[in-house]
Amino acid sequence: MNKPQSWEARAEEYSLYGFTDMPSVHERGTVVLTHGEGPYVVDVHGKRYLDANSGLWNMVAGFDHPGLTKAAQDQYARFPGYHAFFGRMSDQTVMLSEKLVQVSPFDRGRVFYTNSGSEANDTMVKILWFLHGAEGNTKRRKILTRWNAYHGVTAVSASMTGKPYNEVFGLPLDGFIHLTCPHYWRFGAEDETEEQFVARLAQELEDVIAREGADTIAGFFAEPVMGAGGVIVPAKGYFQAIQPILKKHGIPLISDEVICGFGRTGNTWGCETFGFTPDAIISSKNLTAGYFPMGAVILGPDLSDRVQAAIEKIEEFSHGFTASGHPVGCAVALKAIDVVMNEGLAENVKRLAPRFEEGLKRLAQHPNIGEYRGVGFMWALEAVKDKATKEPFPPHLSVSERIANTCTDLGLICRPLGQSIVLCPAFTITEDHMDEIFDKLEQALNKVFAEVA
């Protein structure tokens, strides 16, 4: 048998693709990349692409930041790997835990490390189950999330993810309950104000708690902005409406900041942007600026005290990963936090976010763009067949996939999500990069809509 020769053929012959439209791969081939230059990535043929998705939301300092690569190199030379089991951990792990609590909304807390956001959400569920069991509330196992939320791909975190594609895995598992997505433009009823919409969702939460029993619910998980749901900004006042209900029933609120954390929404945390303080935070992606796979569970004061008491009761928390608190990952994370907060990246997001919004507002004037939405450096344009009725295009047309593929042809990487095109660039982009994004995206929109509208 002849072996495939091209990079594209070799990729398709030997690789399994995650979250990939296979008809596009079969028709167009795989984009095989060799390196990055600032916010650009370069393929095996030398073609450059401006990656307006910053990898997978996470390469916020670009693809060649010298300080981040040096932090990894120095730590590999000094202490290349260890765990955080049996009362042993690296000095970098200790320093990172201190730093994460210092920059969190909490006055004190504790941190547990994982290798990804999925594992961090999975771990948080186990922490809640462990805690409630130790406190004698063994029935408190149900988890509340929202439709269109994304919390990961492990069996537990995928059960939290309110996406229909998980049905092929026989998920969600029992006890995972999905509430209404807080997207007013799409799910608000006719003649319903935004305030009324929020009141309806708050009442839904009350009703679900009454139906299920507060003594059976372990926690409520929410992204400040739903990322993989299509950059869904919550309706105004949403968190202020639901948090008092959760507090009244003793249900912890977990802020999944895997995407929003460390600057994406214009503040250090998405919960700051939307004015609420959770009981715990889930972090990943921007935590290391994408330079090392790492996730973290950051517990606030109340959960820290209760979990520690539960651990003392049985003498250990029987959970962890081989690479939890990896010294290289922690060194990279310490540097990444410094880069975002002290090298002007966070300020650049705040400075250019209004310009980013203006550019998308202009593109949203197209008759087949129903809504533009977002905050900070995370935005989306939603395609519609009919702007007045918000009717989507038929799924078989794969409109967002066609727009994204056309952008790729033009040297721009953006992400199709449902009927939306998502943009979440590196925090290092300039006005010129922004203009390149808008110019190429506009070309793609005009071309595809002319074909399908």
Side-chain angles (χ1 to χ4, degrees), residues 430-448:
T430 65
E431 288 90 340
D432 288 343
H433 294 137
M434 203 173 283
D435 290 340
E436 182 179 349
I437 291 171
F438 297 144
D439 177 62
K440 290 179 176 178
L441 180 55
E442 184 172 22
Q443 292 180 56
L445 293 175
N446 290 338
K447 180 179 183 297
V448 173

Side-chain angles (χ1 to χ4, degrees), residues 146 179-184 187-188 192 194-208 220 234-235 238 241-242 245:
R146 291 90 52 81
L179 305 175
T180 298
C181 174
H183 186 191
Y184 173 61
F187 298 110
E192 184 178 45
E194 189 168 8
E195 185 178 11
Q196 291 169 335
F197 175 68
V198 168
R200 173 160 63 88
L201 268 55
Q203 186 58 54
E204 176 193 43
L205 176 59
E206 283 274 24
D207 293 344
V208 167
F220 183 105
Y238 171 76
I242 66 166
I245 297 170

Side-chain angles (χ1 to χ4, degrees), residues 167-180:
E167 293 173 2
V168 300
F169 302 105
L171 298 173
L173 300 169
D174 290 341
F176 290 83
I177 300 166
H178 301 99
L179 305 175
T180 298

